[in-house]
Amino acid sequence: MSNSSVLPSDFEWGFATAAYQIEGAVAEDGRGKSIWDTFCHLEPTRTKGANGDVACDHYHRYEEDFDLVTKYGAKAYRFSVSWSRIIPLGGRHDPLNEAGIAFYNRLIDSLLKRGITPWVTLYHWDLPQGLHDRYRGWLDVDESQLDFERYARVCYERFGDRVKNWITLNEPWIQSIFGYSTGGNAPGRSSTNAQSEAGNSATEPWIVGKAQILSHARAVIAYKRDFVASQRGRIGISLNGDYYEPWDDSDSRDADAAERRMEFHIGWFANPIFLKKDYPGCMREQLGERLPAFSDAELALLGESDTDFYGMNYYTSQFARHRDGRAADTDFLGNVDELQQNKQGAQVGEESGLPWLRSCPDLFRKHLTRIHGRYGKPIYVTENGCPCPGEENMTRDEAVHDAFRIRYFRSHLDSICKSIGEDGAVVKGYFAWALLDNLEWSDGYGPRFGVTFTDYETLERTPKQSALLLGHMFAERA
Ligand code: PNW
């Protein structure tokens, strides 16, 4: 069937970024430190020597960057607010930083002046260091949710007259697992990583997950109770999660493994948040007491919070193979092996510029359809993109010819159209990751996800071919 007119007329598309990955200006205008500032300056380095001190210097160059968004034809832009710019120490009794608030007011006004709709993520992994120092941040479930609610309220109060699209948290799975199990992301806690000084990979990620779930719920309740009537916006959360197929499709144990893997990835958060119930049974079964329970009061909180949309960050898919025997205490995958080829040796997809990311558009379609079927909320794809093979080592003039990325976007957009048109999923928006090459967290400035090339010496921006193509693709399908 044709793709034309499958996309709803209110379908929104644009580009995404996150504060620490692009802003720089980390010590300017009263910003407090976040756990990523600390993590990027650890010795020996855990981020390939990279840090966000300057990054893309978006703090000073946002006008230029929004000129690009306009040039690319996008009418929406997703960015995140740095909590510690707004509340340098982070806590609910700590002072606000008016200069930080003024920066985001300038951003928002600059977008609106251009007719671009802001989509604001409140938390993209940059917890104020002050809260980590005060009570170990997300490890304190009771304190962190109250501080997050206050931070969210400040954002609604100060920006909500103009911001109508809110995302509470970005990828709580990555925050929990990479931050507190593998230790690969800030704050770098782990008991399985030789570089980590402290942590407990068997228990901490599950506590941190609970803290984020309840923080999300409180932020949603606060918005619905005190703001939505006058501000008329919507609020959701962005969850990551790959789609999994069984490694051996004739083995029901692998089919179970694939399902279990997705429950550990997505159900962990989506069950409490969208279904308003306990974690998936397979998680309880494997993790036992280490998975903190919800009290009646907490379940009531979940019951009261009504999340408007499912933000989906999707990059890749994999095969899952069951493991025999009991799972290790530090396992977070659901006792499965993850593989990029199946039993017959078929590859899950074409390799991009990063080993973990293969292009799997057909499984993206299955993923969209599955998520819509399960959680029943409109889906906004809040991240999707890739680095091209070899792009890391290309010159600017080579990197701008990003045929692989163009194919990736085209095929993934096709999948969205099929999922809507043939499978009945409700998908209402799409944000390409990312507007410009930026700090790829612990991978430093190597991988380039941008549709704009960033020269990190001169900070000059150059549009890649894919930047203009997205506009054409969406126009064709409008
Ligand atoms: C997302 N993985 O993170 C983040 O939201 C972005 O900030 C990031 O730049 C982007 O994807 C590209 O990586 C992920 O290993 C990081 O599966 C790693 C994984 C998935 C998502």
Side-chain angles (χ1 to χ4, degrees):
M1 68 172 277
S2 121
N3 284 323
S4 57
S5 72
V6 164
L7 296 180
S9 59
D10 56 350
F11 192 90
E12 297 200 33
W13 72 271
F15 301 92
T17 60
Y20 191 68
Q21 293 181 274
I22 64 166
E23 283 181 0
V26 291
E28 226 159 299
D29 296 334
R31 174 183 177 277
K33 277 192 181 0
S34 84
I35 56 176
W36 270 97
D37 294 281
T38 309
F39 190 70
C40 286
H41 287 280
L42 290 176
E43 305 261 1
T45 184
R46 293 167 72 167
T47 54
K48 306 197 168 155
N51 61 63
D53 291 2
V54 177
C56 303
D57 195 33
H58 176 74
Y59 193 82
H60 301 110
R61 294 168 197 254
Y62 63 89
E63 293 282 359
E64 179 187 343
D65 291 337
F66 297 163
D67 284 346
L68 291 175
V69 178
T70 302
K71 181 169 168 186
Y72 300 164
K75 292 281 183 288
Y77 172 68
R78 173 182 178 225
F79 67 96
S80 81
V81 172
S82 157
W83 186 342
S84 59
R85 271 198 205 284
I86 304 275
I87 311 172
L89 290 172
R92 58 198 180 279
H93 306 298
D94 294 324
L96 301 183
N97 176 31
E98 290 298 336
I101 292 173
F103 168 65
Y104 291 107
N105 275 325
R106 291 198 297 277
L107 279 196
I108 293 162
D109 291 341
S110 172
L111 288 167
L112 292 175
K113 185 182 75 195
R114 293 174 161 81
I116 302 167
T117 303
W119 282 68
V120 176
T121 310
L122 294 175
Y123 183 76
H124 202 119
W125 310 345
D126 44 358
L127 187 83
Q129 182 65 35
L131 300 185
H132 188 80
D133 294 342
R134 192 175 289 160
Y135 54 72
R136 301 203 309 162
W138 295 117
L139 287 168
D140 190 324
V141 174
D142 294 329
E143 285 295 316
S144 59
Q145 58 182 287
L146 296 178
D147 285 346
F148 185 75
E149 179 185 334
R150 191 275 186 133
Y151 162 57
R153 283 179 176 277
V154 171
C155 291
Y156 308 149
E157 271 160 24
R158 299 305 193 90
F159 311 133
D161 56 332
R162 289 151 296 150
V163 173
K164 307 299 170 189
N165 303 283
W166 296 100
I167 294 166
T168 55
L169 305 172
N170 182 70
E171 302 188 349
W173 189 94
I174 296 270
Q175 173 65 93
S176 302
I177 298 297
F178 288 17
Y180 297 81
S181 180
T182 67
N185 277 8
R189 293 177 62 86
S190 173
S191 53
T192 59
N193 182 332
Q195 278 193 293
S196 299
E197 280 172 14
N200 183 342
S201 304
T203 54
E204 291 188 2
W206 314 114
I207 297 167
V208 167
K210 180 179 175 183
Q212 291 180 91
I213 290 164
L214 294 174
S215 295
H216 165 82
R218 280 191 185 271
V220 170
I221 292 170
Y223 189 65
K224 298 288 168 94
R225 214 184 259 168
D226 296 330
F227 298 92
V228 78
S230 58
Q231 297 185 350
R232 310 209 159 275
R234 58 190 158 197
I235 186 161
I237 184 168
S238 289
L239 300 181
N240 63 300
D242 303 350
Y243 188 82
Y244 289 81
E245 295 259 272
W247 177 74
D248 176 353
D249 62 11
S250 69
D251 188 335
S252 66
R253 292 170 303 176
D254 285 357
D256 291 347
E259 200 50 42
R260 199 161 62 242
R261 179 69 195 93
M262 291 189 274
E263 289 287 53
F264 269 74
H265 226 154
I266 295 161
W268 177 10
F269 299 98
N271 263 34
I273 290 170
F274 292 104
L275 306 182
K276 305 176 177 200
K277 61 181 204 192
D278 195 23
Y279 303 109
C282 62
M283 292 186 73
R284 272 255 162 267
E285 213 169 286
Q286 179 180 319
L287 302 169
E289 300 274 280
R290 288 185 286 115
L291 188 64
F294 293 113
S295 69
D296 289 343
E298 288 166 345
L299 282 171
L301 213 60
L302 295 174
E304 194 189 331
S305 71
D306 201 8
T307 304
D308 298 315
F309 63 88
Y310 185 109
M312 175 189 289
N313 291 0
Y314 173 85
Y315 289 93
T316 196
S317 295
Q318 302 186 64
F319 295 107
R321 183 172 64 197
H322 75 280
R323 282 191 184 172
D324 295 314
R326 200 179 151 268
D329 274 1
T330 51
D331 175 69
F332 50 79
L333 301 177
N335 209 19
V336 310
D337 291 320
E338 304 184 306
L339 299 123
Q340 293 183 323
Q341 41 180 280
N342 68 8
K343 194 180 177 189
Q344 286 74 40
Q347 300 291 336
V348 72
E350 217 183 323
E351 191 167 342
S352 72
L354 276 170
W356 61 266
L357 202 169
R358 283 173 182 263
S359 176
C360 317
D362 297 344
L363 298 181
F364 179 40
R365 171 179 172 184
K366 290 192 184 182
H367 189 55
L368 286 163
T369 304
R370 175 180 182 273
I371 295 291
H372 183 258
R374 277 195 167 228
Y375 305 115
K377 291 286 176 181
I379 296 172
Y380 288 84
V381 178
T382 43
E383 288 182 23
N384 178 238
C386 65
C388 300
E391 191 172 359
E392 251 187 89
N393 302 311
M394 288 182 192
T395 63
R396 178 193 69 180
D397 293 345
E398 292 164 344
V400 294
H401 299 286
D402 54 344
F404 185 93
R405 180 174 292 104
I406 287 170
R407 262 189 294 133
Y408 183 97
F409 284 149
R410 262 196 197 288
S411 56
H412 284 74
L413 181 56
D414 267 345
S415 296
I416 291 178
C417 291
K418 285 180 184 143
S419 179
I420 297 173
E422 296 173 37
D423 308 341
V426 178
V427 187
K428 304 200 55 153
Y430 179 89
F431 293 84
W433 183 270
L435 175 63
L436 65 171
D437 295 337
N438 59 66
L439 173 64
E440 180 54 17
W441 306 110
S442 59
D443 279 334
Y445 290 101
R448 294 178 172 275
F449 277 84
V451 297
T452 311
F453 181 91
T454 306
D455 180 327
Y456 294 111
E457 298 291 318
T458 63
L459 295 170
E460 192 191 341
R461 280 90 156 121
T462 310
K464 301 179 192 174
Q465 287 182 339
S466 62
L468 289 165
L469 255 139
L470 266 182
H472 296 152
M473 285 185 332
F474 279 101
E476 280 165 25
R477 287 166 172 79

